[in-house]
Amino acid sequence: MKRFLPLAMALAAAACSPAPAPAPTKAAAATTQMSPDELVELRKASAQVLFWNQDTRSANFRRMDALFPGTTAKASSTPRALPKGAPLPFDEAAIDAFMKDQNVAGLMMIQNGKVRLERYGLGMTPEDRWTSFSVAKSFTSTLVGAAIADGKIGSLSDPVSRYIPELKGSGYDGVTVEQLLTMTSGVAWNEDYTDPTSDVVRLFSDPVPAGVDPTVAYMRQLKREYEPGQKWEYKTGETNLIGVLVRRATGERLSDYAKRKIVDPAGFAGDLFWQIDTGGGNTGGCCIMLRLSDYARMGLFALEGGKGQVPANWFAQAGTSHADIGVPGFGYGYQWWTYPGGAYGAQGIFGQGITIMPKQRIVFAVVSNWPVASSRKLTTERLQFFQKLAEAAQ
């Protein structure tokens, strides 16, 4: 595989929606019902996580289920074993330097189903879980594949409004499920986290009429800027729409559907926690918490084709570029980023990720606490380091 190239625009776009604010009570998390006052607090503090300092993130990224509302998919009753493979012939000092430079909490490399490298930092243990934000997008897209396999979604060419009728007459008229997955709807969107008037901020802060899904309420107001399929633009709101679509099509919460379609067949050893939005639904574009080993198991699940839970060619298509993001060698698939040499991956702010190299039969899982939400430099260095590890493994 040729060397990873600088990411430029792709890395800036790797940022995801901010997490909801802390739930005032455990009852809110358990019932997914929130009082009007709790809803106000959620909207006021929608971007709070982005402004935590590093020490706070290190503590809270492993305990978000105690701070935020959400639902849980319990661990598999038959966890997938991850046997140890031959030690990776690589300079330990270089691994230490990578861990320090990237502020890594956990790093795992699996080749041919065996663990070649496993390291922890920041006080994290193998049993701890760590939060990721936009890595959730790749989980949500996998549930689309599962719903197609189950006959709940007819086709990727179906109009989104077939499943979310409230979008008829909006900028999403004529937009297909596939165009949502590839973020090529043509609907105007601003993902600037520093702008309090941006769409990604207002999505979580604008008041919502009673009885209306918060994502649908906001997204149906947006105007079309380009014809569907013409231009890629990163939109967390659209992954949230995908989450709504899956809920409507299956009649299940995302965490419940993920339990049957991902957690159990992939053999997760720990619970999957998935945060909810102000409407009580799991947020499709954001906010899951897993063990490092279970992020790796998700990568293996994709690498091995999905254990019959998705159409036979789903991950081959999902991990192939369907959208030009303006960076040579890189692209966007079905809520997975695509890299040179046939690799693809899930990315989340503050340094979380799953990277899959099908040709080498390698999966990397990493959880970190970067000093900034998104960094071209740190992401480029991470991908380049993974390439060096992959070369050593050969």
Side-chain angles (χ1 to χ4, degrees):
M1 181 189 298
K2 59 186 177 181
R3 293 284 181 185
F4 287 112
L5 303 174
L7 292 179
M9 171 182 166
L11 305 184
C16 74
S17 60
T25 67
K26 275 291 190 178
T31 64
T32 71
Q33 299 297 319
M34 286 170 267
S35 70
D37 287 344
E38 290 170 347
L39 291 175
V40 169
E41 289 306 309
L42 279 170
R43 293 180 186 122
K44 282 182 179 178
S46 61
Q48 179 182 357
V49 172
L50 294 175
F51 301 101
W52 284 345
N53 62 39
Q54 279 193 279
D55 288 343
T56 301
R57 286 197 302 271
S58 286
N60 286 351
F61 276 9
R62 70 189 73 194
R63 57 187 292 268
M64 298 287 262
D65 58 333
L67 299 174
F68 291 72
T71 58
T72 296
K74 301 299 290 184
S76 171
S77 60
T78 55
R80 175 174 181 162
L82 297 178
K84 299 293 184 184
L88 192 67
F90 202 83
D91 181 17
E92 287 292 323
I95 297 173
D96 291 341
F98 172 79
M99 298 279 290
K100 180 179 179 181
D101 292 345
Q102 296 258 332
N103 211 31
V104 172
L107 170 65
M108 181 175 286
M109 173 185 174
I110 297 177
Q111 184 181 34
N112 297 320
K114 296 183 178 180
V115 178
R116 301 293 306 274
L117 176 65
E118 182 176 7
R119 296 284 293 272
Y120 295 93
L122 309 183
M124 187 174 176
T125 72
E127 288 71 38
D128 287 335
R129 294 180 298 168
W130 194 269
T131 296
S132 179
F133 298 86
S134 281
V135 170
K137 291 178 168 66
S138 303
F139 280 66
T140 299
S141 80
T142 300
L143 296 182
V144 173
I148 290 173
D150 284 347
K152 304 294 186 181
I153 295 175
S155 165
L156 290 181
S157 62
D158 285 353
V160 174
S161 59
R162 177 175 298 177
Y163 304 93
I164 311 176
E166 304 97 304
L167 294 178
K168 290 179 180 178
S170 75
Y172 286 95
D173 248 350
V175 172
T176 67
V177 175
E178 184 169 26
Q179 287 162 345
L180 267 195
L181 285 172
T182 58
M183 296 192 182
T184 57
S185 68
V187 172
W189 180 263
N190 179 353
E191 185 95 4
D192 185 351
Y193 294 96
T194 65
D195 179 0
T197 67
S198 71
D199 293 301
V200 75
V201 173
R202 291 181 59 201
L203 173 66
F204 293 92
S205 61
D206 278 13
V208 179
V212 180
D213 182 275
T215 296
V216 176
Y218 188 82
M219 301 301 284
R220 69 185 179 185
Q221 304 175 73
L222 302 177
K223 304 301 182 183
R224 180 170 292 172
E225 187 175 19
Y226 302 95
E227 284 302 303
Q230 283 190 358
K231 184 177 184 293
W232 175 86
E233 187 174 11
Y234 191 79
K235 304 183 185 83
T236 287
E238 293 196 341
T239 319
N240 291 356
L241 267 186
I242 296 170
V244 174
L245 189 153
V246 171
R247 292 199 302 270
R248 299 280 183 87
T250 64
E252 297 185 50
R253 294 186 303 196
L254 299 186
S255 60
D256 292 340
Y257 200 46
K259 164 67 175 170
R260 296 192 294 108
K261 297 299 177 179
I262 298 175
V263 173
D264 284 345
F268 283 12
D271 296 346
L272 163 65
F273 174 78
W274 202 326
Q275 290 180 35
I276 59 172
D277 62 22
T278 57
N282 299 114
T283 306
C286 183
C287 312
I288 60 175
M289 189 168 67
L290 287 171
R291 295 182 183 183
L292 174 70
S293 64
D294 289 332
Y295 286 113
R297 287 181 176 92
M298 178 61 178
L300 288 171
F301 181 72
L303 177 66
E304 296 168 355
K307 304 289 186 181
Q309 303 301 316
V310 294
N313 66 341
W314 178 260
F315 284 109
Q317 289 296 312
T320 296
S321 178
H322 295 271
D324 181 1
I325 65 172
V327 183
F330 293 82
Y332 202 72
Y334 297 160
Q335 306 283 302
W336 295 85
W337 300 90
T338 66
Y339 311 134
Y344 63 101
Q347 296 180 179
I349 56 172
F350 296 109
Q352 326 316 328
I354 302 168
T355 302
I356 301 164
M357 299 180 176
K359 293 179 182 178
Q360 294 91 339
R361 308 298 293 174
I362 288 174
V363 168
F364 290 100
V366 63
V367 294
S368 309
N369 183 11
W370 286 356
V372 292
S374 182
S375 166
R376 177 173 64 186
K377 177 178 182 291
L378 290 172
T379 305
T380 301
E381 289 173 353
R382 183 176 71 189
L383 293 176
Q384 290 173 343
F385 186 72
F386 286 175
Q387 177 62 26
K388 291 177 182 177
L389 293 175
E391 290 170 357
Q394 305 305 313

